[in-house]
Amino acid sequence: MGKTIAQKIFESHLVDSPFENTYVLKLDRVFCHEITTPIAINDLIERNKDKVFDNTKIKAVIDHVTPAKDSKTATQGKILRDWAKRQNIKDFFDIGSNGVCHAIFPEKGYVRPGYTVIMGDSHTCTHGAFGAFAAGVGTTDLEVGILKGVCSFREPKTIKFVLNGKLKDGVYAKDVILYLISKIGVNGATNHVIEFTGPVVDNFDMESRMTICNMAVEAGGTSGICYPDEKTVEYLWDFIKDEYKSKEDAVNDYKKWKSDDDAEFAKVIELDLSDLEPVCTVGYKPDQVQKVSEMKETPVNQVYIGSCTNGRISDLRIAAQVLKGHHLAEGVRGIVSPATPKIYKMALQEGIIDIFIDAGFCVTNPTCGACLGMSNGVLAEGEVCASTTNRNFNGRMGKGGMVHLMSPATAAATAITGKITNSFLFKN
């Protein structure tokens, strides 16, 4: 019997199996940010275990409230900052050099095919776009990861999506993942890895693959995974070029991180997405999804473009293409947050920031703040936000607020009309 990519990664990283169906894995990366990591740091200090397993494999960033908005968030940042200095963490990104964690870490080349990655953040599954096993974990697992460089998991059963067809113009990765979540539900992949395969995924660039893997957790998935290929190598080349004689050699090496043809899956779901239309969420769960064309009379108060799901340069380009020559509807607030300083700089150089400002948007520094209602775009009770983020739970972006998740193109079109709108109407 063949093996899935997750099974292959588990086997290559296995340290111990102390109980049936329990696998202790060696970790290649432990990612940290200032919301969840300070709890682990303080607990380790209390236990007289204030040390790290490898200061080159731990990467840390302050990304949720940047700069700090109050004493509490300043303290969270200080705990992480002091710890990074004390432990001589080689890659720590403080205010000014920081970015959204699931954007800046791949951008720096820290994730590779076949890697194991953990972080105290549910959207760590983003990094599976590179053919890695990446999972969000709780405080205890994070502490052990920081201290010992290992983490325990259950057997990785896998659900495989085979996505066929060719997407219509105006349909993007965000539409695809929202549609897939609507098909299986928010618990449809609980305790499973989700493999994304097929022509649609093959045609996606790495940023689009990160978008679909990012929201695997919204279907309950432990991790989302795409097979590494030429696009993966191209994205990583500056970081791996000293390890391989050529890009072809790298592609051939990474081919081992792919499920075997005779691998056993918990479920295989094959879909033709040729007729898929732009979609968005309608309620308080990511699986409550409707076509944008069915939502055209839904008014919004705010439009947010950014996050670890859709704050990369391709997302900003798509939104700017729709916005160019237009302005925010009266009474609508627009906020855009490039996910990293590099993305911000690229957007400046390409004139994208000018387009957003001319359209009436507030352009902020890289931050996760608005996504979870902490800063830079919190909603008032009763307000509605069209958002490119990943989670629409009740109160997610502010108590009593409603969040409609959508692609950057749909969000930009919605900003122009003040109602949820299909971007086809504003094709430049």
Side-chain angles (χ1 to χ4, degrees):
M1 180 64 68
K3 297 174 180 136
T4 66
I5 180 175
Q7 289 172 327
K8 291 179 180 182
I9 293 173
F10 270 48
E11 285 191 3
S12 67
H13 289 75
L14 185 64
V15 175
D16 193 12
S17 184
F19 311 107
E20 184 179 358
N21 198 27
T22 299
Y23 301 86
V24 179
L25 306 184
K26 179 181 66 175
L27 298 173
D28 295 298
R29 293 287 183 266
V30 176
F31 293 153
C32 301
H33 64 56
E34 89 287 4
I35 300 300
T36 57
T37 309
I39 303 169
I41 292 170
N42 287 339
D43 193 56
L44 287 169
I45 291 172
E46 285 186 20
R47 296 171 184 271
N48 294 317
K49 295 184 182 297
D50 183 27
K51 53 186 178 181
V52 299
F53 81 102
D54 187 330
N55 64 348
T56 66
K57 293 183 177 180
I58 295 175
K59 315 294 181 182
V61 64
I62 294 177
D63 64 348
H64 284 78
V65 184
T66 58
K69 65 175 182 175
D70 52 28
S71 296
K72 181 180 179 180
T73 53
T75 299
Q76 287 176 310
K78 185 177 188 303
I79 291 169
L80 189 69
R81 187 178 296 116
D82 291 349
W83 171 76
K85 183 177 181 180
R86 190 167 64 247
Q87 303 299 341
N88 193 26
I89 302 299
K90 300 297 184 183
D91 299 301
F92 170 59
F93 302 95
D94 207 337
I95 307 301
S97 64
N98 61 333
V100 174
C101 54
H102 306 308
I104 198 166
F105 292 150
E107 182 183 275
K108 297 290 185 181
Y110 296 152
V111 186
R112 310 285 172 82
Y115 269 19
T116 50
V117 180
I118 66 165
M119 186 177 194
D121 189 290
S122 56
H123 294 103
T124 306
C125 48
T126 306
H127 309 293
F130 293 84
F133 176 80
V137 298
T139 302
T140 301
D141 285 330
L142 181 61
E143 285 185 43
V144 174
I146 289 170
L147 184 65
K148 296 293 186 180
V150 297
C151 191
S152 63
F153 296 95
R154 297 296 185 184
E155 181 183 1
K157 294 182 178 179
T158 299
I159 295 173
K160 181 178 182 178
F161 274 105
V162 183
L163 306 180
N164 297 313
K166 183 179 179 182
L167 299 181
K168 294 179 179 178
D169 288 344
V171 178
Y172 299 94
K174 186 62 160 290
D175 301 298
V176 170
I177 189 58
L178 288 174
Y179 176 70
L180 299 187
I181 295 168
S182 76
K183 297 293 286 186
I184 65 173
V186 291
N187 298 314
T190 300
N191 297 324
H192 286 72
V193 171
I194 303 177
E195 278 190 17
F196 299 103
T197 70
V200 170
V201 180
D202 293 341
N203 288 328
F204 276 158
D205 59 19
M206 291 307 297
E207 297 194 351
S208 294
R209 294 178 191 180
M210 281 187 264
T211 293
I212 59 173
C213 286
N214 174 272
M215 292 190 67
V217 69
E218 308 306 338
T222 302
S223 184
I225 293 184
C226 299
Y227 299 155
D229 59 9
E230 293 85 357
K231 292 178 181 178
T232 315
V233 169
E234 192 64 42
Y235 186 98
L236 291 173
W237 186 244
D238 284 346
F239 308 103
I240 64 174
K241 60 187 178 183
D242 293 334
E243 301 172 24
Y244 297 98
K245 292 181 180 179
S246 67
K247 293 178 181 178
E248 291 75 18
D249 285 345
V251 171
N252 288 330
D253 182 37
Y254 288 159
K255 282 181 179 178
K256 64 177 177 277
W257 302 117
K258 181 179 180 180
S259 293
D260 296 327
D261 292 339
D262 59 343
E264 184 177 348
F265 295 94
K267 189 182 295 184
V268 177
I269 302 171
E270 194 159 353
L271 299 167
D272 188 331
L273 302 184
S274 300
D275 294 326
L276 182 64
E277 295 182 26
V279 296
C280 68
T281 57
V282 294
Y284 292 113
K285 295 197 301 178
D287 62 357
Q288 296 174 323
V289 173
Q290 282 186 247
K291 296 177 182 177
V292 170
S293 58
E294 298 171 345
M295 299 283 291
K296 58 185 178 181
E297 295 303 317
T298 305
V300 303
N301 305 100
Q302 177 173 295
V303 173
Y304 181 77
I305 298 172
S307 83
C308 61
T309 315
N310 287 119
R312 297 177 179 83
I313 190 62
S314 58
D315 301 307
L316 303 189
R317 287 169 180 157
I318 289 165
Q321 187 177 27
V322 175
L323 279 170
K324 190 173 183 178
H326 299 283
H327 197 274
L328 285 167
E330 185 175 353
V332 175
R333 305 184 300 275
I335 301 169
V336 60
S337 178
T340 70
K342 180 180 178 180
I343 294 167
Y344 199 127
K345 189 173 182 179
M346 291 174 70
L348 279 169
Q349 292 170 342
E350 295 179 22
I352 290 171
I353 298 299
D354 285 341
I355 291 172
F356 278 112
I357 292 175
D358 290 346
F361 271 72
C362 168
V363 181
T364 81
N365 57 288
T367 176
C368 299
C371 177
L372 69 167
M374 293 191 72
S375 65
N376 285 51
V378 179
L379 300 176
E381 189 167 353
E383 288 192 319
V384 178
C385 182
S387 180
T388 68
T389 55
N390 48 39
R391 198 158 273 175
N392 60 328
F393 299 162
N394 193 355
R396 171 71 175 180
M397 291 183 72
K399 184 179 179 181
M402 166 64 80
V403 180
H404 295 289
L405 306 177
M406 60 188 66
S407 75
T410 303
T414 299
I416 297 167
T417 65
K419 298 178 181 180
I420 295 179
T421 302
N422 206 313
S423 64
F424 299 156
L425 300 177
F426 300 98
K427 191 172 182 179
N428 287 308

